[in-house]
Amino acid sequence: MPAPLVYVETSPTLPARADAVVIGGGIVGVFTAYYLARRGLAVALIEKGRIGAEQSSRNWGWCRQQNRDARELPMATLSLDLWERFAAESGEATGFSRCGLFYLSNDEAELAGWARWGEFAKTAGVTTHMLDSRQATERGAATGRSWKGGVFSPTDGTASPADAAPAVARAILKRGGSVHQMCAVRGVETSGGRLSAVITERGTIRTPVAVLAAGAWASAFCHQLGVALPMASIRASALALSPSAEPLPPALHTAAVSITRRGDGGHTLAISGRGRVDPTLQQLRFAPHFLPMFARRWRSLLPGGLEGLRAGHETVGRWRLDAPTPMELTRILDPRPDQATIRLTRARAVELLPALKQSRVTAAWASYIDSTPDGVPAIGELAALPGLIVAAGFSGHGFGIGPGAGHLIADLVTFAKPIVDPRPYAPARFARHESKTVADF
């Protein structure tokens, strides 16, 4: 684990009935349950392991608009406001701060791409500043080198991955919702062609609606229901360093390495886009869907090993509802980090920022990032099973846009006016045999 997770109280009794059940205690699941509870619904949040223990606590912590795909940008912009509003409403601390995100580059093509995005951002009301060579070099003085240019997005920021999901879960409890950890959802019941109950390892909850915010497990869960949800997971590795002797930018991205200052003064390091592909039968099943993405990303992806098969989150087998499932055998996805990537990441970071040379590695970890074929989340009710709303495939973007996604899902559940247009996220788009525009990220 990258950092000790904050403890969250588990509700003592599973309710017999609920207005809504949220399956999955990651950042999207907790914000969904929070916004439902705020609207007065009796909501039960069910998590097979611990709140926030998978990808939601293993990411960089970035909450950004910069370089977002046009389909995600409205949600990203609203999420920044919701991060701030949550702290004021709940009294809980997520570590969110609009510290600004800083990008540096010596690649003309990369800079041109950022400039094009900046022109688009102006039409969307997003503040972002292109930096010329002098400005980038001055702002990037900690690197001790010259740069051709960069970007600074002052309204973007970061939150604490170790604190955020637990903080939202505590807010759910304050609002009268229930939170159940170490309790896997095995399946659902239907009545009249609609979802009518959620079956957990501890009992059944009668409910007219459930939200499947199960991250890397979502596709396998849908498979149990006879629903094909194309998803694939990438194993990403990162590390943490102890605090440096000199002040460094709170959040800095370069093509070589990215760094984020942590709450303890140390830094999280990662290489953007780099990951291992652990082959599974689910990946083979959906391989044709992912060909366009693979054609664009293959240079940053490396072949993996048997981690994915051992974890069981991409199984194509069927499980019983009266026996332990793969989710109970693997309560928390905790894959081994790729040591070659860890070494390369640290070496690149020290080369970029000499002040990190004396910092020691305090943690190294990996996570499974769930992705859709176009890199845009799948959010919406499943046509094959009315009453079940899926929210998965956030493709490494879920932490930052978690509040907006949770708000949108709560809107869909309560038939309120959606905070953003939900159509770009509709899961039904994967059933249409048409070319998909792969997101730039």
Side-chain angles (χ1 to χ4, degrees), residues 123-200:
T123 68
V126 175
T127 302
T128 184
H129 303 303
M130 286 298 300
L131 308 177
D132 61 23
S133 178
R134 179 187 62 80
Q135 294 168 324
T137 300
E138 286 181 356
R139 188 175 282 275
T143 67
R145 65 178 75 174
S146 298
W147 296 90
K148 289 184 178 180
V151 173
F152 181 62
S153 52
T155 59
D156 289 350
T158 63
S160 170
D163 296 312
V168 183
R170 291 194 299 271
I172 294 166
L173 294 169
K174 290 180 182 178
R175 290 279 178 175
S178 61
V179 176
H180 308 273
Q181 298 174 97
M182 297 297 170
C183 181
V185 172
R186 293 176 174 175
V188 302
E189 290 182 359
T190 61
S191 177
R194 289 187 56 87
L195 182 141
S196 59
V198 168
I199 302 170
T200 81

Side-chain angles (χ1 to χ4, degrees), residues 46 108 127 154 156 164 166 174 210 254 262 282 286 300 307 329 334 358 364 367 369 371 375:
I46 314 295
E108 295 286 1
T127 302
D156 289 350
K174 290 180 182 178
T254 69
R262 300 160 66 92
Q282 177 178 294
F286 293 128
S300 60
E307 287 283 305
L329 300 178
D334 188 24
Q358 302 306 317
S367 63
I369 297 175
S371 179

Side-chain angles (χ1 to χ4, degrees), residues 131-288:
L131 308 177
D132 61 23
S133 178
R134 179 187 62 80
Q135 294 168 324
T137 300
E138 286 181 356
R139 188 175 282 275
T143 67
R145 65 178 75 174
S146 298
W147 296 90
K148 289 184 178 180
V151 173
F152 181 62
S153 52
T155 59
D156 289 350
T158 63
S160 170
D163 296 312
V168 183
R170 291 194 299 271
I172 294 166
L173 294 169
K174 290 180 182 178
R175 290 279 178 175
S178 61
V179 176
H180 308 273
Q181 298 174 97
M182 297 297 170
C183 181
V185 172
R186 293 176 174 175
V188 302
E189 290 182 359
T190 61
S191 177
R194 289 187 56 87
L195 182 141
S196 59
V198 168
I199 302 170
T200 81
E201 62 179 292
R202 296 183 187 172
T204 298
I205 306 175
R206 298 292 166 189
T207 183
V209 63
V211 177
L212 181 62
W217 297 87
S219 184
F221 191 95
C222 285
H223 179 62
Q224 311 305 308
L225 309 176
V227 175
L229 178 64
M231 280 177 44
S233 297
I234 302 300
R235 176 163 50 101
S237 298
L239 70 147
L241 293 183
S242 60
S244 66
E246 301 175 24
L248 299 175
L252 171 63
H253 167 79
T254 69
V257 67
S258 299
I259 73 163
T260 312
R261 187 164 60 216
R262 300 160 66 92
D264 62 2
H267 294 86
T268 294
L269 313 178
I271 299 175
S272 180
R274 184 183 175 96
R276 293 278 178 180
V277 181
D278 295 331
T280 65
L281 293 178
Q282 177 178 294
Q283 288 190 1
L284 293 175
R285 179 190 182 198
F286 293 128

